[in-house]
Amino acid sequence: MTKEKDNKKNLLSRRNFLKGMSKGAVTAAVIPTSITSAETRKTIPDEKGGVDKGVVNLAVNSKSYKIEVEARETLADTLRKRLNLTGTKILCNYGSCGGCTVLLEGVPIYSCMTLTMDVNNRKITTIEGLESNGKLHPIQEAFIEKDGMQCGFCTPGQIMAAAALLAKNPNPNLEEVKYGMSGNLCRCGAYPKIFDSVLSAAKEGRR
Ligand code: FES
Ligand code: FES
């Protein structure tokens, strides 16, 4: 086999591997939705004939973007480095903390474990997309009121998970809040106030 064919084979194997990783992480985050959109993806061969880039259409916070991304690029990197939406944080960067949580059509996902190519033509909401007309989302207000944070690094991910939880279950009890937020870790241990913030937002019907 020629070196060129070897390179191409390695690229495709790596991509399949990453796709598998991405789907696995999505499942771990209790997400039932398939995010594969290969049928609509347009790939571009690189100089050596390999396929490592593609043009994707992203709908982020009600704005449309058409950008070229590398096959290995994660949604977290695209949001932060390409779209300048730095509210989404990258903490562990391997799918264990939930700090990078965003909503994919209303479902919380780990954006550090999601390939941008796999969310082609899908609707994404980040922490920046929660406010409306310059006014914070009621869940954001509840986190401020109840002091639901310490260092704040995990907070955007916590708030996105809370928004998804309350959209699905408007009146959760404490156990349901703990379960619903269990994909999001807080290394400061601010859990009591985080849970209190979510319960407060639910109690006030503020979601
Ligand atoms: S930064 Fe994505 S799960 Fe930790
Ligand atoms: S508030 Fe510091 S990690 Fe959660």
Side-chain angles (χ1 to χ4, degrees):
M1 189 178 288
T2 64
K3 196 174 172 191
E4 191 182 336
K5 275 185 183 167
D6 262 324
N7 284 342
K8 199 186 279 187
K9 191 178 166 202
N10 286 341
L11 273 170
L12 291 173
S13 308
R14 178 172 154 70
R15 193 150 109 205
N16 286 339
F17 173 73
L18 287 171
K19 271 173 69 179
M21 287 283 289
S22 169
K23 285 179 193 167
V26 165
T27 306
V30 198
I31 298 155
T33 319
S34 163
I35 58 169
T36 303
S37 53
E39 68 281 0
T40 55
R41 186 185 310 155
K42 188 181 164 198
T43 51
I44 299 172
D46 67 10
E47 290 167 355
K48 295 174 188 155
V51 178
D52 65 354
K53 289 180 184 168
V55 175
V56 291
N57 295 297
L58 301 177
V60 185
N61 302 335
S62 304
K63 277 178 80 173
S64 298
Y65 300 87
K66 185 171 187 172
I67 54 172
E68 184 181 295
V69 296
E70 290 188 26
R72 64 181 178 175
E73 188 168 324
T74 66
L75 180 59
D77 278 338
T78 301
L79 292 171
R80 288 180 55 82
K81 296 175 186 171
R82 312 284 297 281
L83 307 186
N84 206 26
L85 294 169
T86 54
T88 298
K89 304 303 179 202
I90 299 175
L91 306 183
C92 70
N93 206 17
Y94 60 80
S96 72
C97 74
C100 61
T101 301
V102 300
L103 305 185
L104 176 64
E105 292 173 358
V107 178
I109 61 163
Y110 294 162
S111 60
C112 76
M113 294 296 285
T114 302
L115 294 178
T116 304
M117 279 191 159
D118 282 339
V119 295
N120 187 27
N121 292 322
R122 308 292 296 275
K123 189 176 157 195
I124 296 147
T125 308
T126 69
I127 189 81
E128 291 90 346
L130 286 189
E131 67 158 39
S132 165
N133 298 322
K135 198 171 177 318
L136 290 180
H137 188 283
I139 295 175
Q140 293 170 299
E141 297 278 12
F143 267 75
I144 294 169
E145 264 177 42
K146 295 290 176 183
D147 200 17
M149 69 201 81
Q150 202 163 314
C151 77
F153 268 107
C154 73
T155 310
Q158 301 279 4
I159 288 176
M160 297 313 288
L165 168 66
L166 295 185
K168 200 171 164 192
N169 178 3
N171 291 301
N173 58 34
L174 179 58
E175 286 312 305
E176 289 169 331
V177 169
K178 285 181 181 176
Y179 183 74
M181 304 289 291
S182 59
N184 291 69
L185 304 182
C186 173
R187 66 184 171 182
C188 295
Y191 295 110
K193 289 187 174 182
I194 290 171
F195 298 152
D196 205 17
S197 303
V198 181
L199 287 170
S200 169
K203 191 173 169 194
E204 300 295 325
R206 304 180 302 181
R207 51 194 177 270

